[in-house]
Amino acid sequence: MRIFLLFFFSLICSSHSLAQSLNYHPTDTLQRTIIQVQQDLYEVELNLHKAQKDLTTGIIISTIGYSVTILGGQLLGDNPDVGRALLYVGGATGITGTVFLIKGFKKLSVGPPRQPVYGPN
């Protein structure tokens, strides 16, 4: 009788552990992984889209500002007052464009990569 109870008890324990391992569905993990990859890709694409406007604006403003600065430097010999004014205005405009560029590059940063998770969560 004891052997039968021992056998029956071990059978129940093994079937319980077998049932737990059968609850793991690899397709659920695959679906979660695919969804997570899709969300990560969406975030990257969104950051690129947001950064594009700031980067384009920054390049245009910086180019105009530093061009005006060069023009002001050229006019310093012939017309010093206008040349000096253009130097200041062009420099300020160029710095403003650089601020837009920095803002755009910050949007490109997505942070450090996450450690991938394998197996059931």
Side-chain angles (χ1 to χ4, degrees):
M1 183 71 178
R2 288 183 186 172
I3 294 175
F4 178 74
L5 287 176
L6 183 62
F7 176 74
F8 183 74
F9 182 73
S10 65
L11 184 64
I12 290 175
C13 289
S14 65
S15 68
H16 180 67
S17 64
L18 180 64
Q20 285 181 344
S21 66
L22 291 179
N23 286 337
Y24 168 66
H25 299 289
T27 56
D28 291 342
T29 303
L30 181 62
Q31 288 173 348
R32 280 193 303 249
T33 303
I34 290 172
I35 290 170
Q36 184 63 44
V37 168
Q38 287 174 338
Q39 288 173 347
D40 291 345
L41 180 62
Y42 173 76
E43 289 176 20
V44 169
E45 289 176 343
L46 184 63
N47 286 343
L48 286 172
H49 179 71
K50 289 178 181 178
Q52 181 181 7
K53 181 180 177 187
D54 286 337
L55 291 174
T56 304
T57 304
I59 289 171
I60 292 170
I61 292 174
S62 293
T63 302
I64 291 171
Y66 295 129
S67 297
V68 170
T69 301
I70 292 170
L71 179 64
Q74 294 294 320
L75 289 178
L76 279 177
D78 297 334
N79 196 347
D81 292 334
V82 173
R84 196 174 304 120
L86 288 176
L87 281 174
Y88 291 131
V89 170
T93 305
I95 290 171
T96 303
T98 303
V99 168
F100 273 94
L101 285 170
I102 291 171
K103 184 178 165 186
F105 281 117
K106 283 185 179 179
K107 288 180 182 176
L108 289 179
S109 175
V110 294
R114 288 177 285 189
Q115 183 69 24
V117 178
Y118 299 104
N121 291 335

